[in-house]
């Protein structure tokens, strides 16, 4: 499925998922997860979501809004602080898609309501967050690593001492690396191996070695 906000179906579709309508894309994504579960393609103990950059924002927002749907979440180099993203490096250029918290009260309220950093809550009842592996890199000058670091710190602070949170909430910080483009093959392999191992460990997925 294509969540609202992309350009796949023309400008009207794009406009329906940006700025004050940004939530529509997150809702579409959650509905897709519900469809997979309701139609028995998977279940919440197996379902993993992964996205990078703007997709990292999507993953972070959906984890906050519907933690019950997912077993594991991998937000990579995500835009997690929606109130201050425009203050760092090229972040101001994203205001055309997100809006800007400094613009007016409507934009501030909207961005605060979807910001992954500002909406981490312990679920009610017996619910817990999915296993989360945040990834970033110390030389990312596009989505600066403070987004991921602040988000991971807030996750761990919020769930500190919460006995029902059995799943891990971790961050992986690559060194001497950036937003992703031009990353050496060795680093790509190491990161993917860590991600797959994390997913497997938290979904009960057995990784079988291929025998030639």
């Amino acid at each position: 499925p294509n969540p609202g906000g992309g350009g796949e179906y023309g400008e009207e579709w794009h406009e329906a998922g940006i700025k004050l309508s940004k939530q529509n894309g997150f809702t579409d994504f959650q509905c897709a997860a519900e469809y997979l579960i309701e139609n028995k393609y998977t279940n919440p103990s197996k379902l993993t979501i992964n996205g990078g950059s703007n997709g990292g924002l999507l993953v972070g927002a959906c984890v906050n809004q519907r933690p019950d749907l997912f077993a594991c979440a991998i937000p990579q180099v995500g835009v997690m602080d929606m109130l201050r993203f425009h203050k760092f490096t090229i972040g101001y250029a994203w205001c055309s898609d997100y809006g800007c918290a400094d613009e007016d009260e409507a934009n501030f309220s909207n961005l605060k309501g979807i910001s992954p950093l500002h909406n981490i809550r312990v679920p009610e009842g017996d619910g817990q967050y999915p296993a989360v592996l945040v990834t970033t890199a110390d030389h990312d000058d596009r989505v600066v690593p403070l987004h991921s670091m602040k988000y991971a710190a807030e996750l761990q602070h919020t769930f500190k001492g919460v006995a029902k949170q059995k799943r891990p909430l971790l961050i992986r910080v690559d060194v001497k690396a950036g937003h992703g483009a031009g990353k050496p093959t060795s680093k790509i392999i190491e990161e993917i191996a860590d991600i797959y191992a994390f997913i497997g460990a938290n979904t009960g997925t057995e990784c079988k070695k291929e025998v030639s």
Side-chain angles (χ1 to χ4, degrees):
N2 294 295
E8 297 85 1
Y9 301 116
E11 188 57 23
E12 184 177 352
W13 183 264
H14 175 229
E15 294 286 343
I18 63 173
K19 295 187 176 180
L20 298 180
S21 300
K22 189 67 179 172
Q23 176 61 42
N24 288 341
F26 306 149
T27 302
D28 289 348
F29 189 82
Q30 293 160 30
C31 288
E34 290 177 334
Y35 176 88
L36 293 174
I37 294 167
E38 290 170 2
N39 288 275
K40 310 301 182 183
Y41 288 99
T42 188
N43 62 69
S45 69
K46 296 291 186 182
L47 187 54
T48 296
I49 54 175
N50 172 222
S53 200
N54 187 41
L57 160 62
L58 170 71
V59 170
C62 289
V63 164
N64 285 340
Q65 294 174 13
R66 291 298 307 275
D68 57 300
L69 289 177
F70 314 112
C72 191
I74 317 291
Q76 298 183 263
V77 293
V79 184
M80 300 308 208
D81 184 351
M82 296 302 290
L83 297 183
R84 293 174 56 81
F85 70 85
H86 57 290
K87 298 181 181 292
F88 306 101
T89 61
I90 200 172
Y92 65 88
W94 312 332
C95 292
S96 60
D97 186 62
Y98 300 148
C100 177
D102 292 344
E103 185 174 336
D104 55 36
E105 185 176 352
N107 274 276
F108 180 92
S109 297
N110 180 62
L111 290 168
K112 187 175 186 295
I114 64 175
S115 177
L117 175 64
H118 298 94
N119 290 281
I120 297 169
R121 303 285 187 275
V122 177
E124 296 180 357
D126 297 330
Q128 62 172 316
Y129 260 37
V132 179
L133 178 62
V134 186
T135 72
T136 188
D138 63 351
H139 281 67
D140 189 343
D141 60 359
R142 185 171 301 180
V143 181
V144 291
L146 66 83
H147 283 278
S148 293
M149 292 175 177
K150 289 164 67 176
Y151 174 72
E154 185 63 26
L155 272 176
Q156 294 178 358
H157 172 73
T158 299
F159 285 93
K160 182 179 180 180
V162 178
K164 68 177 182 178
Q165 181 63 37
K166 306 297 185 182
R167 294 165 172 162
L169 306 168
L170 304 177
I171 184 169
R172 182 188 190 277
V173 182
D174 212 346
V175 296
K176 297 181 180 179
H179 196 61
K183 186 182 293 186
T185 302
S186 60
K187 281 187 173 291
I188 294 173
I189 292 171
E190 290 170 358
E191 182 177 37
I192 291 175
D194 285 349
I195 289 171
Y196 281 1
F198 185 83
I199 294 171
N202 289 285
T203 59
T205 303
E206 182 181 355
C207 297
K208 294 182 178 180
K209 183 177 180 181
E210 184 176 345
V211 179
S212 59

